[in-house]
Amino acid sequence: MSDIVEKTLTALPGLFLQNQSVGGPAGVKASFSSRLGGLVRGITALTSKHEEEKLIQQELSSLKATVSAPTTTLKMMKECMVRLIYCEMLGYDASFGYIHAIKLAQQGNLLEKRVGYLAVSLFLHENHELLLLLVNTVVKDLQSTNLVEVCMALTIVSQIFPREMIPAVLPLIEDKLQHSKEIIRRKAVLALYKFYLIAPNQVQHIHIKFRKALCDRDVGVMAASLHIYFRMIKENSSGYKDLTGSFVTILKQVVGGKLPVDFNYHSVPAPWLQIQLLRILGLLGKDDQRTSELMYDVLDESLRRAELNHNVTYAILFECVHTVYSIYPKSELLEKAAKCIGKFVLSPKINLKYLGLKALTYVIQQDPTLALQHQMTIIECLDHPDPIIKRETLELLYRITNAQNVIVIVQKMLEYLHQSKEEYIIVNLVGKIAELAEKYAPDNAWFIQTMNAVFSVGGDVMHPDIPNNFMRLLAEGFDDETEDQQLRLYAVQSYLTLLDVENVFYPQKFLQVMSWVLGEYYYLLDKDTPEEVLTKLYKLLISDSVSSETKAWLIAAVTKLTSQAHSSNIVERLIQEFTVSLDTCMRQHAFELKHLCENVELMKTLLPVDKSCEDMVVDASLSFLDGFVAEELSQGAAPYKPHHQRQEEKFSQEKVLNFEPYGLSFSSSGFTGRQSPAGISLGSDISGNSAETGLKETNSLKLEGIKKLWGKEGYLPKKEGKTGDETEAPPVPQESIIMETVDQNITKKDQCQVHTQSKEEKEKQLLASSLFVGLGSESTINLLGKADTVSHKFRRKSKVKESKSEETTSAHMTCSYFGSSSEATYEDDYYLDTLQDRGDKELSKFSLNSELLDSESVTELPSVEKLSNCKLSSSPSLFTDNNMEGFHPSQSTAPSVANETSLAASLLEETSEHVHSDLVEVCHNETISVSSYKIWKDDCLIMVWSVSNKSGLKLKSANLEIAPAENFKITEQPGCCLPPTEAGSIKTFQYTVQMEEPFTEGNLSGFINYQMMDTPSVQLEFSINLSLLDFIRPLKISTENFGKLWLSFGNDVKQNVKVSESQAALPSALKTLQQKLRLHVVEIIGNEGLLACQLLPSIPCLLHFRVHGDVLALWFRSSCSPLPDYLLYQCQKVMEGS
Amino acid sequence: MQFMLLFSRQGKLRLQKWYVPLSDKEKKKITRELVQTVLARKPKMCTFLEWRDLKIVYKRYASLYFCCAIEGQDLELITLEIIHRYVELLDKYFGSVCELDIIFNFEKAYFILDEFLLGGEVQETSKKNVLKAIEQADLQEEAETPCSVLEEIGLT
């Protein structure tokens, strides 16, 4: 068929050209139906881009006039839309027509609607604001009785639909799943698939309906549902294992040709369906033997059936092979799959060969022998004229690299690298070469040369990790100190040679690496003066082709070298020149250098030789400035306020209360600005005397346990002990004999063939033997687990050391004691740290991007729901009194309350002043009874246990102990532990309890131990429940302060809670919250309220809530991350409970 | 599938369908780069490309290139067949399709594409079903005679 198409297609341009004269710009006819034709012809007739632009602009302005004219009929509008689409396709802006496309979809008859919808789908994307205007039309059309209209609506929904409007159409689309027409059901399934992609939560409830679609009698509907299943299984394969049987059955039916012939494609039964099913099976069977066993048969059959020589059968085969290798392995199938891969690799068709290489690439780790089988093909592909094939071959070689073939493989990669121009490829390849070089380098010279090539070609596009890793590797060294020195020395020598070459421009990153290495390790050359290298660096410094960032590196190197030289003319010249430089950064560096030169002693301590790996310690709080700050303050200077605080203050002064912009304002600007490592940057951004004391410790680097090296007087020359963790002894290289034998085998084989081969062939064989050396033969499968078996040349030191030194070395490297411009790495690290420490209440006070937190709190929500399984100690009606802050516990839930009246009388005096719970018996026997109650003091929770002696006998001793609990800090109140020796007496034990970490509820347990005369001692155990609410107190603040606090808190949780009608009114909801949660009402404005509370001792939490009908929108914010969640949970409980 | 582009040997875009939300600027940039890359390839070369982090599958029919971008997990070979099936559909609908059909009736080509691929996934693989759906929608159009290509170029 394609032949016919081809013929017609080639024949027609001729016709087309003949008739060009008819068209032309003037040929725009009056008839609307051929307007497009006129336009197309007009454009084709033009010769220059400029003319085209003129014509289109003309066209667009006439279109603009037409579409906005009130007299334009819908029919004309339809025609205009088509032309607008055409103009947009040519790359011109036709956005003025977007709104009219929506109108057309809304108002037109079927035909016009169709074009309207098409235009919308082509013009807009799913986040476009105009799309909202389409929602009504879609809803209307979904309800239409005309099938075509419903189809159009479903089609548009499956392509673009605003996520937030999904609820508006979801029920309608769900209905369509039961529609009698399969086309409607199919489109409805695809619409739901789209929803699943953009908002998976919204379609969670219809999973059962998906199953129904999977069992639909129509193949198209079933096939459509597989798209959803594929995504769902990809995310969570364990949830759908039960469907494996169904998928296998469907696949069997398809393979067996049981589907209607309509679905055949070139006499292959439903290939798309087969492939989709194979992909799903691959996901289900991964690492799961039992599930995999279910599919072995059908996979075998698929492999067997797919023997027709057509592209589409190859497609099925390919997917089948992929599945066979993904699931739990079965040797028989693997064998067959390997054979299939062979078919691809050996195919003369280039597309299939390419895929064969791809397949090899991903199975090579499991079966390295396959690469051996196809080694000659691989060699051929390496010199293939098509760069795509070459690249894929390199990818394959990359996977089989080991210590023996690394040189050849890297050489091939470098060859390719020199030819490619595309940045993406360069970045990718350079990364791989650097990785291989680092892993398998056979010797120092090779390693340095390879890295030189990487830096020269990769230049400034490569990943910044590459130079950083390289420098770290040099700095940290590996196991053998002399080896380290040699490597460094070689690097130094190599760079000196490179810099000798005239008129060569190296990439900036490479120059930076060079300057760092030369600065650090030039001393290894053992020359008297570094004059020679200083000259070279100086030359670079005055060169125009060097960026100012690189210059900072260069001058850092010069400084380091100067500390080793006694005096240097070049340095003096340099200082002279750059102290008057227009570049302020350079000028500063020069001044620093000048001052250091004047104080050689200081310079030597500051810039020790070969100490780049040692931790540099800085007093990031700049505490040595404290005196200065204090002095300024005493002279009336305003205390320093961080940027964001200043902003907030300004903000809160402007408006007393603002509801809308709570979310914004937390830009990271203040944050990043404050993050530069204070000791290094010379800016005074961070002051130890920040007015906001809470920020002080969290904002700075952690200084605990670190000796102060930089103090008020400058550098405190105290040598720190080496912090390096000693690495264990290197494992003996495991280059086993097996490898050598393989090696020999190959060579032997080669030798046998030598006679019959041409010279060229011989070369290839030679290459093959060098490439595939070290690859397993039948007996050695383990060799390809390259990372494990081959000892790496540059083995990294232990992890701890690595991560530790990362910070310090990066600080060293990027700025080498100078404030260099880029601190990106450092900041990122710090940012991550910050995020990790989010639990820390101080930290979260500032800096955290509110958007980030929003999303986080959304993910946390499920855990809140889970919590509802827990039981709460305080029953819902805990605070029934109308008294604002007061509350009385319900009648106790304890089984029996003994002597309640008499005990109640014994409540502590103090109790009467504070709100307290009723007395509850926690344990008793015939002799003794222990009851307890809580006193909710304003500043703490007091637990009182009162022990009464019921027996009428004297106790010899009695002792009450409370077991230490994880989340609580329990302090015994003094003077209340006298043993209740007297008969019938009551003694109380009082403890203050503090919550150490927020939680919803916890247990406090303890025991009473007593002894009566002449009896052994008895122990009674008891426990008591404490809830979060026991530690919540109202926080009385003003609205203004509320606003300020609200902005400074990062942790927030939002939730809508449905409430009963009686609760729906604001006052009653408010009352409930106030009484039961002990929240302080800050202010009520309309249907919104502000409440505040604190978790003892002093963690504030704020609540903003709004009533809409019967929904209560709650919004909590706090400085402590779990607190809003917990409070929300309590809040939901009380709202539901009442 | 991320997007599909149809362009002529001269690099003129004939059809574009984007299944991922991208800004116009990005779209233009991608189109420009891809058209260049694909046109530069020789006829005997592999018709699969790795381009940025996408896989590109293209096929040339006469003067027209069909070019699809797929994600890493998708299969190149079957994408090639998707292209072919689309050409078959066009061919059947227009009756020996040619580039001019697509230029002058590109909205029809879009309608067919939307019945075949929806949201970047294959919607219906049965040729009969796709054409049936199109015909149904076209029925409304009967009142108006469709302008044939021949009419367009003035041969009637």
Side-chain angles (χ1 to χ4, degrees):
Chain A
M1 194 258 2
S2 59
D3 291 344
I4 306 169
V5 181
E6 211 142 322
K7 266 179 216 154
T8 4
L9 281 171
T10 34
L12 267 164
L15 282 174
F16 184 65
L17 283 173
Q18 283 170 19
N19 289 283
Q20 264 182 9
S21 51
V22 182
V28 181
K29 294 175 195 166
S31 152
F32 270 106
S33 62
S34 61
R35 275 277 178 86
L36 173 74
L39 176 63
V40 174
R41 273 190 296 270
I43 290 165
T44 326
L46 299 174
T47 44
S48 76
K49 183 81 190 162
H50 178 69
E51 281 176 315
E52 178 192 298
E53 201 175 319
K54 225 170 101 188
L55 178 69
I56 303 260
Q57 292 304 354
Q58 224 173 354
E59 178 79 17
L60 281 173
S61 49
S62 99
L63 277 170
K64 198 169 185 174
T66 317
V67 290
S68 43
T71 50
T72 310
T73 62
L74 287 169
K75 197 174 159 195
M76 282 153 80
M77 192 67 97
K78 173 190 150 234
E79 205 281 328
C80 289
M81 273 310 135
V82 174
R83 274 187 290 156
L84 280 175
I85 297 174
Y86 192 80
C87 292
E88 277 243 322
M89 186 158 67
L90 291 176
Y92 298 87
D93 177 48
S95 51
F96 63 85
Y98 294 176
I99 185 75
H100 298 283
I102 290 175
K103 266 199 211 155
L104 191 63
Q106 191 180 14
Q107 297 163 347
N109 64 23
L110 269 180
L111 202 74
E112 291 143 11
K113 207 182 241 313
R114 197 178 177 202
V115 173
Y117 271 131
L118 175 71
V120 169
S121 79
L122 293 170
F123 288 156
L124 306 183
H125 55 82
E126 63 192 26
N127 305 322
H128 202 286
E129 49 190 353
L130 280 180
L131 207 51
L132 284 174
L133 298 176
L134 193 73
V135 175
N136 251 331
T137 315
V138 169
V139 170
K140 207 181 81 209
D141 285 340
L142 280 175
Q143 289 163 315
S144 161
T145 48
N146 187 321
L147 278 186
V148 179
E149 275 184 341
V150 180
C151 276
M152 285 193 283
L154 285 170
T155 305
I156 195 81
V157 168
S158 314
Q159 298 183 68
I160 44 168
F161 199 74
R163 184 189 326 208
E164 60 274 26
M165 293 312 284
I166 291 177
V169 294
L170 193 57
L172 289 171
I173 290 175
E174 277 180 66
D175 279 350
K176 297 289 180 268
L177 290 174
Q178 271 102 40
H179 202 275
S180 60
K181 284 280 180 201
E182 56 272 3
I183 185 172
I184 304 282
R185 294 204 300 278
R186 187 181 71 212
K187 281 180 192 279
V189 168
L190 282 167
L192 291 176
Y193 168 68
K194 175 74 182 178
F195 292 168
Y196 180 79
L197 291 181
I198 57 176
N201 297 332
Q202 307 232 29
V203 291
Q204 241 157 16
H205 64 286
I206 31 184
H207 280 195
I208 295 165
K209 289 188 178 160
F210 293 155
R211 290 206 179 210
K212 235 174 141 187
L214 182 66
C215 305
D216 199 281
R217 59 186 183 279
D218 181 71
V219 182
V221 181
M222 185 267 289
S225 76
L226 291 182
H227 295 307
I228 302 179
Y229 275 105
F230 178 72
R231 296 283 165 159
M232 293 197 295
I233 292 172
K234 205 171 159 201
E235 263 153 47
N236 166 31
S237 67
S238 58
Y240 301 91
K241 299 273 183 187
D242 58 318
L243 284 174
T244 314
S246 317
F247 292 130
V248 168
T249 318
I250 299 172
L251 184 56
K252 262 190 190 140
Q253 285 173 352
V254 179
V255 175
K258 301 262 163 49
L259 291 192
V261 202
D262 284 351
F263 291 94
N264 280 9
Y265 176 81
H266 296 258
S267 58
V268 177
W272 283 277
L273 189 51
Q274 285 197 44
I275 283 168
Q276 191 72 339
L277 284 164
L278 285 168
R279 285 166 79 183
I280 290 176
L281 289 182
L283 292 174
L284 284 171
K286 194 163 193 238
D287 305 321
D288 182 344
Q289 186 174 6
R290 207 182 303 151
T291 311
S292 298
E293 273 163 5
L294 295 173
M295 50 187 87
Y296 288 149
D297 276 351
V298 74
L299 289 177
D300 193 52
E301 185 158 349
S302 289
L303 283 175
R304 204 155 35 83
R305 290 250 184 183
E307 271 170 4
L308 278 158
N309 200 13
H310 187 276
N311 267 342
V312 79
T313 54
Y314 277 108
I316 296 172
L317 268 186
F318 191 84
E319 197 59 55
C320 216
V321 168
H322 191 267
T323 307
V324 167
Y325 274 96
S326 326
I327 63 171
Y328 189 88
K330 189 191 183 196
S331 56
E332 208 180 305
L333 277 177
L334 287 177
E335 228 169 84
K336 284 184 186 171
K339 238 184 232 161
C340 279
I341 295 181
K343 270 190 215 170
F344 279 93
V345 176
L346 298 173
S347 167
K349 288 186 182 164
I350 190 160
N351 281 348
L352 298 183
K353 198 181 270 298
Y354 170 79
L355 288 176
L357 288 171
K358 265 202 124 106
L360 275 182
T361 311
Y362 74 69
V363 303
I364 210 82
Q365 250 120 13
Q366 289 180 50
D367 189 3
T369 51
L370 260 171
L372 280 181
Q373 275 172 33
H374 298 296
Q375 46 176 309
M376 287 324 289
T377 320
I378 296 173
I379 299 289
E380 273 161 25
C381 291
L382 206 47
D383 287 324
H384 202 280
D386 188 347
I388 295 287
I389 299 276
K390 244 187 188 172
R391 197 171 136 200
E392 197 53 43
T393 316
L394 288 176
E395 180 72 35
L396 174 64
L397 290 177
Y398 162 73
R399 307 272 173 123
I400 60 165
T401 311
N402 56 36
Q404 285 144 297
N405 59 17
V406 65
I407 298 184
V408 194
I409 290 179
V410 166
Q411 186 204 338
K412 288 283 165 193
M413 287 174 135
L414 283 172
E415 276 169 23
Y416 186 84
L417 194 60
H418 286 301
Q419 290 161 11
S420 34
K421 287 181 188 71
E422 203 187 310
E423 188 180 314
Y424 196 83
I425 296 176
I426 294 174
V427 171
N428 185 301
L429 212 52
V430 151
K432 283 180 175 154
I433 296 173
E435 186 197 327
L436 292 178
E438 202 179 296
K439 261 190 189 167
Y440 303 114
D443 57 67
N444 291 335
W446 183 87
F447 177 66
I448 296 294
Q449 274 160 13
T450 307
M451 290 313 285
N452 286 351
V454 164
F455 292 138
S456 342
V457 182
D460 298 323
V461 293
M462 70 190 161
H463 198 275
D465 276 356
I466 298 175
N468 288 347
N469 281 344
F470 175 75
M471 288 186 286
R472 198 163 85 202
L473 200 129
L474 283 186
E476 281 173 20
F478 28 111
D479 303 320
D480 182 355
E481 190 55 36
T482 44
E483 188 84 342
D484 289 350
Q485 299 294 25
Q486 272 168 11
L487 179 66
R488 291 166 188 159
L489 185 61
Y490 191 88
V492 170
Q493 286 165 339
S494 142
Y495 295 155
L496 287 177
T497 329
L498 284 179
L499 290 180
D500 266 341
V501 186
E502 299 276 330
N503 293 327
V504 180
F505 298 101
Y506 298 105
Q508 303 300 320
K509 284 267 164 64
F510 193 16
L511 288 175
Q512 291 166 13
V513 170
M514 286 187 196
S515 42
W516 184 82
V517 171
L518 291 175
E520 284 294 321
Y521 299 116
Y522 184 78
Y523 77 94
L524 290 173
L525 274 182
D526 269 341
K527 293 209 176 154
D528 287 341
T529 63
E531 206 65 24
E532 176 201 8
V533 68
L534 282 173
T535 322
K536 285 182 181 140
L537 295 175
Y538 174 74
K539 251 189 215 161
L540 285 171
L541 268 174
I542 52 171
S543 151
D544 291 334
S545 62
V546 174
S547 76
S548 56
E549 189 194 349
T550 308
K551 281 185 181 166
W553 286 74
L554 286 164
I555 200 155
V558 169
T559 313
K560 277 184 263 181
L561 290 166
T562 315
S563 73
Q564 289 157 34
H566 304 294
S567 64
S568 160
N569 294 333
I570 303 243
V571 174
E572 273 162 32
R573 205 161 98 207
L574 193 145
I575 291 172
Q576 263 178 15
E577 232 165 90
F578 283 97
T579 41
V580 292
S581 165
L582 285 178
D583 182 339
T584 47
C585 185
M586 288 310 291
R587 193 152 69 190
Q588 185 182 339
H589 289 321
F591 270 112
E592 279 166 10
L593 180 57
K594 189 178 163 197
H595 285 289
L596 285 175
C597 281
E598 284 159 10
N599 187 348
V600 179
E601 209 44 49
L602 176 65
M603 178 153 75
K604 291 224 160 144
T605 42
L606 245 180
L607 303 163
V609 172
D610 191 23
K611 290 285 186 287
S612 62
C613 268
E614 273 164 41
D615 292 343
M616 183 170 68
V617 182
V618 288
D619 180 3
S621 68
L622 305 186
S623 59
F624 53 89
L625 289 174
D626 283 356
F628 173 74
V629 173
E631 196 179 307
E632 287 295 308
L633 283 174
S634 68
Q635 285 172 14
Y640 173 73
K641 282 175 191 164
H643 178 68
H644 76 267
Q645 200 189 349
R646 286 192 303 251
Q647 261 196 337
E648 278 155 26
E649 274 171 17
K650 198 173 135 208
F651 182 71
S652 52
Q653 275 162 10
E654 277 167 11
K655 286 172 193 168
V656 182
L657 182 63
N658 194 323
F659 288 100
E660 300 310 323
Y662 284 162
L664 35 117
S665 104
F666 251 72
S667 72
S668 53
S669 64
F671 173 52
T672 42
R674 302 171 55 81
Q675 293 312 305
S676 55
I680 296 164
S681 86
L682 295 159
S684 58
D685 199 0
I686 298 175
S687 151
N689 293 49
S690 151
E692 202 174 334
T693 46
L695 288 178
K696 189 178 166 184
E697 52 174 287
T698 52
N699 191 31
S700 55
L701 295 166
K702 290 244 150 110
L703 293 170
E704 289 158 73
I706 297 177
K707 285 184 213 157
K708 271 192 185 175
L709 282 189
W710 283 87
K712 203 173 174 178
E713 299 79 23
Y715 183 72
L716 311 173
K718 246 184 261 164
K719 285 283 164 200
E720 241 196 321
K722 266 208 170 183
T723 42
D725 321 39
E726 291 307 315
T727 355
E728 334 91 80
V732 182
Q734 297 264 324
E735 318 289 22
S736 61
I737 314 156
I738 310 165
M739 270 193 212
E740 282 165 32
T741 45
V742 175
D743 203 350
Q744 284 162 3
N745 278 345
I746 292 168
T747 357
K748 266 185 208 158
K749 201 176 89 196
D750 294 345
Q751 282 163 355
C752 302
Q753 292 166 351
V754 154
H755 311 287
T756 51
Q757 282 163 350
S758 66
K759 197 183 165 201
E760 196 181 310
E761 283 291 292
K762 261 190 261 170
E763 268 172 19
K764 279 185 182 171
Q765 284 288 359
L766 214 65
L767 181 58
S769 63
S770 56
L771 275 177
F772 297 96
V773 62
L775 275 191
S777 67
E778 287 81 56
S779 55
T780 58
I781 348 146
N782 62 337
L783 284 171
L784 263 217
K786 47 180 181 175
D788 310 319
T789 52
V790 181
S791 72
H792 298 161
K793 173 76 175 169
F794 302 113
R795 234 169 47 85
R796 282 282 162 72
K797 292 201 173 173
S798 64
K799 276 270 176 207
V800 190
K801 167 81 181 168
E802 193 177 310
S803 57
K804 205 173 155 196
S805 54
E806 172 140 30
E807 260 187 345
T808 45
T809 40
S810 74
H812 266 270
M813 285 165 180
T814 41
C815 42
S816 310
Y817 303 116
F818 290 96
S820 157
S821 50
S822 77
E823 282 296 327
T825 1
Y826 208 86
E827 268 172 35
D828 281 352
D829 283 351
Y830 191 77
Y831 189 58
L832 281 178
D833 284 345
T834 323
L835 283 179
Q836 278 162 4
D837 290 354
R838 261 186 58 216
D840 187 308
K841 58 174 178 158
E842 304 280 344
L843 259 179
S844 48
K845 251 188 184 164
F846 77 112
S847 88
L848 291 169
N849 189 319
S850 61
E851 194 181 67
L852 192 103
L853 280 160
D854 267 352
S855 63
E856 292 225 346
S857 38
V858 170
T859 52
E860 277 166 17
L861 276 179
S863 71
V864 178
E865 279 159 22
K866 268 186 224 150
L867 283 174
S868 58
N869 293 331
C870 316
K871 271 199 174 166
L872 203 71
S873 62
S874 40
S875 61
S877 55
L878 192 59
F879 320 107
T880 45
D881 202 326
N882 275 349
N883 179 359
M884 286 291 209
E885 258 83 47
F887 41 84
H888 289 294
S890 67
Q891 287 311 301
S892 134
T893 46
S896 73
V897 185
N899 295 338
E900 200 183 325
T901 39
S902 71
L903 283 173
S906 70
L907 292 177
L908 289 175
E909 263 183 35
E910 196 187 359
T911 318
S912 53
E913 298 163 24
H914 299 283
V915 202
H916 60 84
S917 74
D918 276 0
L919 201 59
V920 176
E921 186 170 65
V922 289
C923 72
H924 66 104
N925 63 6
E926 60 287 347
T927 324
I928 220 162
S929 159
V930 181
S931 308
S932 85
Y933 61 93
K934 301 168 184 171
I935 305 173
W936 295 292
K937 282 180 73 170
D938 284 347
D939 54 350
C940 65
L941 174 74
I942 294 179
M943 286 301 307
V944 182
W945 279 275
S946 73
V947 182
S948 72
N949 181 352
K950 303 187 288 186
S951 67
L953 295 166
K954 233 183 165 181
L955 295 180
K956 198 173 144 196
S957 70
N959 192 24
L960 184 122
E961 262 181 53
I962 303 298
E966 210 180 314
N967 289 320
F968 300 109
K969 203 169 118 197
I970 303 153
T971 341
E972 200 175 334
Q973 298 270 1
C976 52
C977 48
L978 298 168
T981 45
E982 293 297 324
S985 70
I986 296 169
K987 287 289 171 203
T988 53
F989 297 84
Q990 203 179 339
Y991 291 86
T992 8
V993 184
Q994 276 184 343
M995 196 181 250
E996 300 213 296
E997 256 179 54
F999 64 102
T1000 43
E1001 69 167 11
N1003 248 322
L1004 211 56
S1005 58
F1007 58 84
I1008 172 108
N1009 191 313
Y1010 67 93
Q1011 199 175 12
M1012 314 236 310
M1013 297 298 174
D1014 311 314
T1015 49
S1017 71
V1018 181
Q1019 185 163 322
L1020 277 178
E1021 286 179 0
F1022 56 84
S1023 76
I1024 195 150
N1025 243 319
L1026 291 178
S1027 135
L1028 178 79
L1029 287 183
D1030 289 323
F1031 299 92
I1032 295 287
R1033 299 289 179 273
L1035 177 66
K1036 291 172 186 160
I1037 51 170
S1038 66
T1039 312
E1040 193 184 338
N1041 284 332
F1042 183 96
K1044 274 188 208 166
L1045 279 176
W1046 183 268
L1047 288 168
S1048 65
F1049 291 163
N1051 303 293
D1052 69 355
V1053 169
K1054 283 190 214 177
Q1055 177 89 335
N1056 288 343
V1057 181
K1058 268 213 160 152
V1059 289
S1060 59
E1061 269 187 40
S1062 62
Q1063 287 284 334
L1066 183 79
S1068 69
L1070 206 59
K1071 209 163 96 182
T1072 317
L1073 289 173
Q1074 191 175 35
Q1075 288 169 9
K1076 301 200 172 163
L1077 294 178
R1078 268 172 270 186
L1079 303 177
H1080 170 71
V1081 179
V1082 179
E1083 189 162 356
I1084 299 163
I1085 303 144
N1087 61 345
E1088 296 173 81
L1090 305 176
L1091 296 107
C1093 67
Q1094 57 177 329
L1095 175 67
L1096 291 176
S1098 61
I1099 307 171
C1101 184
L1102 306 178
L1103 166 64
H1104 167 252
F1105 81 105
R1106 189 193 294 243
V1107 184
H1108 294 285
D1110 62 344
V1111 174
L1112 203 58
L1114 297 168
W1115 188 358
F1116 286 94
R1117 270 200 183 183
S1118 169
S1119 59
C1120 164
S1121 66
L1123 191 56
D1125 276 338
Y1126 293 157
L1127 268 177
L1128 172 67
Y1129 165 66
Q1130 302 284 6
C1131 205
Q1132 279 172 315
K1133 265 197 94 83
V1134 297
M1135 295 318 270
E1136 282 159 16
S1138 52
Chain B
M1 192 180 290
Q2 302 242 328
F3 55 85
M4 185 188 241
L5 301 175
L6 262 69
F7 50 88
S8 72
R9 212 168 41 184
Q10 290 77 34
K12 280 252 190 301
L13 198 58
R14 295 301 180 208
L15 210 70
Q16 54 172 345
K17 189 81 191 179
W18 301 83
Y19 297 110
V20 281
L22 290 170
S23 71
D24 285 345
K25 213 176 139 195
E26 281 170 290
K27 284 182 192 173
K28 270 184 205 164
K29 188 164 175 261
I30 291 175
T31 311
R32 200 174 47 240
E33 278 184 41
L34 260 187
V35 168
Q36 254 175 25
T37 318
V38 169
L39 288 179
R41 296 192 51 86
K42 298 188 182 83
K44 284 278 161 68
M45 282 184 169
C46 181
T47 61
F48 309 141
L49 290 176
E50 270 170 56
W51 184 80
R52 300 202 190 160
D53 51 348
L54 291 177
K55 297 201 282 193
I56 305 296
V57 176
Y58 69 90
K59 190 162 183 184
R60 181 180 163 184
Y61 288 89
S63 57
L64 210 52
Y65 283 87
F66 289 70
C67 176
C68 295
I70 53 175
E71 288 127 273
Q73 55 183 9
D74 294 328
L75 194 57
E76 292 94 338
L77 274 179
I78 200 71
T79 311
L80 216 47
E81 299 313 307
I82 289 178
I83 294 177
H84 192 74
R85 172 54 43 116
Y86 182 47
V87 175
E88 281 180 8
L89 287 167
L90 291 173
D91 195 56
K92 186 103 180 201
Y93 181 80
F94 288 108
S96 313
V97 71
C98 67
E99 190 181 340
L100 294 185
D101 290 321
I102 295 169
I103 298 172
F104 288 102
N105 296 293
F106 65 84
E107 79 273 23
K108 297 275 167 40
Y110 276 121
F111 292 142
I112 296 171
L113 187 62
D114 283 349
E115 282 305 317
F116 175 45
L117 297 176
L118 194 49
E121 303 284 355
V122 175
Q123 180 193 179
E124 177 60 75
T125 58
S126 152
K127 210 190 315 191
K128 201 180 86 186
N129 288 353
V130 173
L131 292 172
K132 209 168 78 189
I134 295 290
E135 273 157 25
Q136 230 163 18
D138 277 354
L139 272 183
Q140 330 287 332
E141 217 161 332
E142 268 183 357
E144 206 184 344
T145 36
C147 44
S148 75
V149 186
L150 292 180
E151 197 181 22
E152 275 299 335
I153 55 177
L155 284 187
T156 46

